Each structure stands twice: as C-alpha cells, then as structure tokens.
Amino acid sequence: MATTAPTGSPPSPPSLTHPPPPRKLTSVKALSESPGLSSIPSIYTFPEQPNHEPVSDTKEPIPTIDFSLLISSNPDERSKTIRELGKACRDWGFFMVTNHGVPERMMKAMIEVCREFFELTEEEKGESEGKHVLDPIRYGTSFNPSLDKILYWRDYLKIFQHPAFHSPSNPPSFSAIALEYSKRTRGVMKEIVRGISESLGLEDKYIEKASSLENCLQIMVANLYPPCPQPELAMGLAAHTDHGLLTLLIQNDTVGLQVLHKDKWVNIHPIPNSFLVNIGDHIDILSNGKYKSVLHRAVVNDRDVRISIALAHGPAADVAVNPAPMLLEDGQNPLAYPAIKYKEYVELQQSSKLDGKSYLEHIRNRGI
Ligand code: OGA
Ligand code: NI
C-alpha cells in the first residue's frame, strides 16, 4: 500500500534487517466457501494439470501388516510378519497397519477435533500462525506460501508433540485428545521400528538406539483439503517424501492420497481404522537405501472435505543418523548421505519448496 509522506518528513528507508512480513493469505477453507465459487483463482492453477497424469488402475492393494502378529509372543507368527514387513518396505515403502490397538473412537475424535480447529474463525486460527518452520505450533496454507509459485489447495496445522507436547488452546478439548493420541501412536511406531530393524537383519533395538527414539521428535500435521470446483487443475500437496523414520497417517473417509509405485501414481483406499504407514527419509539413510522413502502426494475433489492427520516420527532433534555399517556389502561405500542433525534437516526441508523430488536427493546433490 502506498502512503504519501507528510511534507518535510522523508519516507522511512526500507529496513535492511527485517524481511517484509509475509503477505496475508486467505485460507483455502475461506476461499472454498466464497459464495458462487465456480472456478479457482489462477494462483491455484497448475499449467501441467497434475491430476491428468495417468493413475494406475491396478487393483494390486498396498500391503497390510497385522500389528497383533508383529507383537505376538509366538516366534513363528512374529518372524513371518517381520518378513512381510520387510517386503512391504522394499516393494512399496507404504503399508497399512491393522489390529494396532488404538481405539477407533480415539482416531475419530482426533479427526473431529482437527475439523473443529479448522472451523474456528480466521482470527482464532491466526493465533496459531507460526513465524518459523521450527515453531512448535504452526497454522498455515499451501506448503510454503512465500516460495510456492502456485499455491496448494490445502490448509494445515503442524504441532510438535514430543519430546515436549504442545497444543493450541482452542478448541479446548484439543490438548487432551491429541496428548493421548500422540502417546498411543508412538507406541505403535516403536514396535514397527523394531520390526523394521529386525527385517534388515539388525538387532531389534538398533534403529531405536541409533536415533535416540526415547526423545524422538514427533510432529503432527493435520491437513484440510476443502472441496475444489476445478479439482483437475489444482493440487492438494505436491509429490514429496517425508522426513523422519516413519509417518502414521489417518484420514476421514475421503480418498486423495496417491503413492508412486513402479513409476505410476496409485490411489490409496485405506482399510477403515487402519494406519497408513510410510518409510521416511531417515530409514532410507539408516538402511543405506535398502528401504526407500517413497514419493506421495494429495489430490483434491469437488464434493467432499478431506482431512488427513499425519504423525511424523523422527530421530531425536540433535541426532544425525548414518547408514548402519553392517548393511554395507563387502567393499560397498555408504551412499553419500549428508551427516546432518534431524532438526536441521527438518528446517531445511520445511523451508524449501516442493519440487517433485525427494528432499534427500536434493541435499545429496548439493553435497552438504
Ligand atoms: C503429509 C502428507 C498426505 C495426505 O502430510 O506429509 O503426505 O494424504 N499428506 O494428506
Ligand atoms: Ni507426506
């Protein structure tokens, strides 16, 4: 906004130390509720029409792991499940986990309380607006609006939940529900990480120790994808891989997640009440690339609101994980992964813009 300086007083010079405040953006929720919205603003329009890429209609379902067998006291059941888990990590990098013991009502309550958060007024949600990517509570839209040339059809709330638990104060019930859910999810994550460790031929606690899992950085990302009048032109979230060891995702009953499998995008239809689990960049590093963090993205639709809640579990903030030496074959060099603390990795990845590649590839090329 241009203002005229009163005569005599020179215009104040631009501040050199403070970047201009980021432009205020409307949430996609508010935009989608504008009366009579029948087309989307050009800032949300992807020229290459990402949703028109071929999507595999393969009926090959993503693998399912029965958690109750993974923690079974019957050694045969357990080792068979660990073999299945290893295969799922190698072939897909994504799998569903059933019989995990987290009550259905708790998962539903978590989704509902996130819905309530997004339904607060813009002013109320604005209280949770983060200024920096490592702020423990951060409400926003798109991925990185100051860098995204085209905005994503998505609002989000990101919260650090472990080792220190944070919560917005509104809705009032958020804190109690999220605290319980985050604890239960960590319990499931820990058992899967043990199974993954064994499936790699490592001691069951290898990854746990190498990543100081008792202090794991657990970040909740609640995503809201409102109905979009031109879903074929918009994108919910561009292709990316997740930082950390494992992400556990739940959603309301609206589909939208696509996973890259054998060079094709596959629509994921999760079994109700299951967790959708994926390998993150730090298992990729620890396994020396044996288990890859896989590209995935979110597409939108013109009918239903979609809510997904991803809990990313990383090593402790100050740990820099390395490839496990015993996974290197004779004479093989470790892949050139940067030795970088988890917190710094998160900061770099979250401050960048999504470019359709794994962030690992990105920083490997930059040779950090
Ligand atoms: C994420 C993510 C996918 C989805 O939050 O990292 O990949 O389905 N979300 O919302
Ligand atoms: Ni993701």
Side-chain angles (χ1 to χ4, degrees):
M1 187 176 58
T3 48
T4 322
T7 351
S9 70
S12 49
S15 159
L16 296 176
T17 46
H18 298 290
R23 63 202 152 120
K24 263 274 177 241
L25 284 163
T26 339
S27 68
V28 181
K29 181 168 187 297
L31 175 64
S32 73
E33 288 167 0
S34 334
L37 185 79
S38 58
S39 63
I40 60 175
S42 58
I43 186 85
Y44 291 95
T45 307
F46 281 82
E48 282 158 22
Q49 307 202 353
N51 297 2
H52 283 175
E53 280 173 24
V55 170
S56 171
D57 52 8
T58 168
K59 292 284 173 281
E60 185 189 356
I62 70 164
T64 302
I65 301 298
D66 184 333
F67 186 81
S68 65
L69 301 181
L70 185 65
I71 56 167
S72 167
S73 52
N74 174 332
D76 292 342
E77 264 178 6
R78 179 166 156 76
S79 44
K80 180 169 174 282
T81 311
I82 286 173
R83 281 196 300 278
E84 289 168 3
L85 178 60
K87 188 166 176 0
C89 293
R90 267 192 315 276
D91 294 354
W92 279 84
F94 261 85
F95 48 91
M96 289 182 284
V97 171
T98 55
N99 297 323
H100 43 68
V102 180
E104 182 182 345
R105 62 172 162 75
M106 202 180 279
M107 299 168 93
K108 293 230 155 81
M110 197 58 241
I111 291 173
E112 284 318 306
V113 83
C114 284
R115 188 195 302 274
E116 283 172 36
F117 173 85
F118 288 116
E119 279 169 2
L120 297 174
T121 64
E122 293 303 315
E123 200 183 351
E124 287 166 323
K125 285 184 284 194
E127 285 169 20
S128 298
E129 194 180 327
K131 301 282 175 283
H132 183 267
V133 292
L134 293 182
D135 284 351
I137 303 181
R138 198 153 63 90
Y139 162 70
T141 192
S142 192
F143 181 73
N144 233 334
S146 57
L147 296 177
D148 303 331
K149 282 210 187 75
I150 304 173
L151 298 177
Y152 302 113
W153 197 263
R154 166 214 193 212
D155 297 333
Y156 67 82
L157 172 66
K158 298 191 186 188
I159 308 175
F160 286 30
Q161 298 193 317
H162 192 264
F165 178 78
H166 298 268
S167 170
S169 49
N170 213 355
S173 58
F174 197 102
S175 172
I177 296 170
L179 179 65
E180 193 55 31
Y181 181 73
S182 70
K183 269 192 215 158
R184 298 294 296 255
T185 312
R186 278 202 305 283
V188 173
M189 175 277 299
K190 195 158 126 194
E191 291 296 340
I192 301 173
V193 166
R194 285 186 184 167
I196 289 178
S197 217
E198 277 190 64
S199 77
L200 285 163
L202 304 168
E203 189 227 331
D204 66 344
K205 301 226 171 74
Y206 180 88
I207 298 179
E208 215 168 311
K209 288 182 192 154
S211 53
S212 300
L213 210 58
E214 71 284 1
N215 287 318
C216 83
L217 187 57
Q218 184 188 37
I219 306 176
M220 164 188 279
V221 185
N223 300 296
L224 179 86
Y225 306 100
C228 174
Q230 293 176 297
E232 69 290 354
L233 301 181
M235 195 69 206
L237 191 56
H240 66 280
T241 62
D242 291 350
H243 55 74
L245 302 166
L246 281 188
T247 302
L248 272 66
L249 182 131
I250 57 172
Q251 61 173 41
N252 66 346
D253 14 275
T254 304
V255 297
L257 177 66
Q258 296 185 337
V259 172
L260 194 65
H261 180 62
K262 296 185 181 157
D263 294 327
K264 286 221 170 102
W265 290 106
V266 178
N267 286 316
I268 302 295
H269 300 268
I271 299 175
N273 307 321
S274 63
F275 281 111
L276 198 55
V277 179
N278 63 290
I279 297 292
D281 297 340
H282 290 75
I283 291 275
D284 195 325
I285 297 176
L286 267 157
S287 70
N288 200 36
K290 286 195 164 49
Y291 295 168
K292 294 263 177 265
S293 55
V294 169
L295 286 168
H296 55 284
R297 65 184 192 180
V299 297
V300 293
N301 75 83
D302 57 5
R303 298 170 313 278
D304 303 308
V305 174
R306 176 161 182 263
I307 295 178
S308 69
I309 302 175
L311 261 66
H313 302 85
D318 288 328
V319 168
V321 298
N322 292 306
M326 44 296 228
L327 293 183
L328 305 182
E329 275 130 44
D330 283 346
Q332 187 197 2
N333 289 322
L335 296 173
Y337 287 117
I340 142 176
K341 286 182 184 172
Y342 183 52
K343 188 173 57 185
E344 285 159 23
Y345 189 90
V346 172
E347 185 172 1
L348 282 170
Q349 194 245 23
Q350 296 280 300
S351 317
S352 70
K353 65 174 191 268
L354 301 179
D355 63 355
K357 280 196 229 162
S358 158
Y359 194 67
L360 264 185
E361 205 178 310
H362 221 52
I363 56 174
R364 215 186 289 143
N365 293 341
R366 257 174 38 188
I368 290 179

